[in-house]
Amino acid sequence: MSTTSRPVTMEKITNLCKRRGFVFQSSEIYGGLASCWDYGPLGVELKRNITEAWWRDNIVAREDMVGLDSAILMHPKVWEASGHVEGFTDPLVDCKSCKQRFRADQLSGPKCPECGGELTEARQFNLMFRTFMGPVEDTASTIYLRPETAQGIFVNFQNVLNSSRMKIPFGIGQIGKSFRNEITPGNFLFRTREFEQMEIEFFVKPGDDAEWHERWKAERFAWYQRYGIRREHLRLREHGSDELAHYAKGCADVEYEFPFGWSELEGIANRGDFDLRRHSETSGKDLSYFDEETRERYLPYVIEPSAGVGRPLLAFLVDAYDEDVADGEERIVLRLDPRLAPVKAAVFPLLRKAGQPEKALVIRDVLKQHFLVTYDQAGSIGRRYRRQDEIGTPFGITVDHQTMQDDTVTVRDRDTMEQVRMPVERLATELRARLAPSAPPPHDVDGAARAAVE
Ligand code: GAP
């Protein structure tokens, strides 16, 4: 399916993000800092809802996963062992005239794409941000901002094994910031120099890796659809052998069809035993696993589903963006999955008198104990619905004259615009039901067993 039939453009998304407080440019009052972004009041809620959904589905709901939160700053030996000091580079060229820098592998010709000037020879540029630990700025105190969260998991493999009684196959997940001094960042949140990752390192017995790789590819591909991204805008693309990272035996990307083309949301790699082997060799610590049942000792293989946060967030926004006509007026509507929507419900008094604002504020305060709920009394009811549609609020609760008589309200659905009347006392239960996790993860217990528990 082509993007041309969709109303969304990157310009509309960036405008909406700024206008409604999803995303602002970093340090904007000083002219901004290239490729760094701040999440505003609505963006931070959306981001939290995405990371919480990921954590709930991949860590909490699974018996074979545990979580971790390792430090961003790590021993410099980590990056030697992982191959990042030597190999985490992009080929860089400079324009001799306009001084702009480009990735040599992204240029289509021998001249500067901006001014047609002559380019320097390509040289390898390491993408890790370097800094110094302590007061002395010398090579002995050089450390790096981590370019992936993954290494924090590998160096804690034995700690987790010793402290948690996990048995292979099992995985460790973590969410955290990573930093890459990208030569050509861009496309809004898509490629930035500071970003967040949601990573899983899943440890398996060598020989079981191909099967687990397939399972994780299916699981992660389904996850994006579970939270509303349309199937036709997603694809799973296998890497060619020339594209593989230095550590990978195989890799497939979950790609999304952005307005700027198909691009990666998440990579699912088979890292073999590359990392544990390198860390064993470099640290001198035995990182092998002893299987009590088979009495075998081996270095586990690793399947790594590695997602960003900003890229999926952008994909959820792009996929949710729609324009239609409501009550004869054009509207922008974000059809976000209610579980991801920043604000869950808005409460409106139909009139700014007759006790309706006071009643609506009480309802807001009660619901706010459980959900992010907002109150709005400014402008016509139609305009107030529109304001909420534009930020994806799934439910509009209106207090009217009937509320004052029988304690019922209308609940309007963002997508169908249908309204149903229900008692105020049922609101919290109703919202909770509509916001509950829907489809269970496919790896889990079978349907009958689940139904019995539920
Ligand atoms: N540990 C493996 C790893 O980091 P990667 O493919 O380099 O693999 C994984 O990164 C994910 O992290 C990507 O699919 C993307 O979602 C996100 N990511 C990587 N670089 C990024 C950048 N510069 N800006 C935003 N997200 C990025």
Side-chain angles (χ1 to χ4, degrees), residues 159-390:
N159 283 337
V160 172
L161 259 189
N162 295 341
S163 58
S164 67
R165 301 168 58 93
M166 298 302 281
K167 289 195 170 43
I168 277 177
F170 80 97
I172 304 176
Q174 119 158 294
I175 299 176
K177 286 269 171 118
S178 294
F179 303 83
R180 295 182 191 177
N181 200 359
E182 301 278 3
I183 298 169
T184 47
N187 282 328
F188 193 33
L189 303 173
F190 185 80
R191 193 181 305 285
T192 55
R193 294 194 170 111
E194 172 179 344
F195 57 96
E196 226 164 316
Q197 288 185 306
M198 309 186 281
E199 294 203 290
I200 293 168
E201 307 303 326
F202 198 82
F203 301 93
V204 302
K205 186 174 176 182
D208 293 348
D209 49 314
E211 191 198 327
W212 275 105
H213 198 192
E214 291 310 311
R215 287 168 82 160
W216 274 110
K217 282 193 258 182
E219 170 76 25
R220 295 302 307 150
F221 192 64
W223 189 81
Y224 292 95
Q225 293 165 68
R226 204 178 301 146
Y227 290 93
I229 295 195
R230 277 161 286 183
R231 170 68 186 83
E232 65 266 30
H233 299 152
L234 285 169
R235 72 181 185 196
L236 198 61
R237 192 182 66 80
E238 296 287 338
H239 280 211
S241 53
D242 53 334
E243 286 180 86
L244 289 178
H246 60 275
Y247 49 74
K249 280 180 70 188
C251 189
D253 288 343
V254 178
E255 291 190 339
Y256 177 71
E257 191 180 21
F258 286 100
F260 48 83
W262 285 98
S263 305
E264 171 189 340
L265 296 180
E266 167 163 356
I268 303 142
N270 181 346
R271 294 181 79 121
D273 64 4
F274 177 87
D275 303 272
L276 290 181
R277 183 173 296 286
R278 290 288 289 255
H279 286 303
S280 283
E281 288 163 4
T282 311
S283 68
K285 302 279 186 311
D286 180 10
L287 300 181
S288 64
Y289 174 80
F290 183 68
D291 188 325
E292 302 276 355
E293 271 170 35
T294 62
R295 315 301 294 168
E296 283 174 285
R297 181 170 285 284
Y298 56 82
L299 265 188
Y301 274 24
V302 173
I303 306 302
E304 178 194 62
S306 169
V309 176
R311 283 187 196 180
L313 183 144
L314 185 58
F316 283 120
L317 278 176
V318 166
D319 221 67
Y321 184 95
D322 201 6
E323 292 167 0
D324 68 3
V325 176
D327 310 323
E329 257 185 68
E330 285 189 5
R331 68 167 183 167
I332 293 173
V333 52
L334 279 188
R335 301 190 192 280
L336 285 169
D337 183 296
R339 294 163 297 178
L340 300 187
V343 178
K344 304 305 184 196
V347 188
F348 314 114
L350 189 61
L351 303 175
R352 284 161 73 171
K353 58 183 185 190
Q356 291 181 19
E358 292 77 7
K359 179 71 184 171
L361 282 168
V362 169
I363 293 173
R364 187 231 18 218
D365 290 344
V366 170
L367 293 178
K368 238 177 163 350
Q369 308 295 315
H370 312 277
F371 318 101
L372 189 59
V373 172
T374 187
Y375 170 84
D376 188 1
Q377 63 170 32
S380 72
I381 193 74
R383 282 195 58 188
R384 285 181 265 168
Y385 285 149
R386 285 319 82 80
R387 272 201 287 272
Q388 296 302 323
D389 291 341
E390 193 179 56

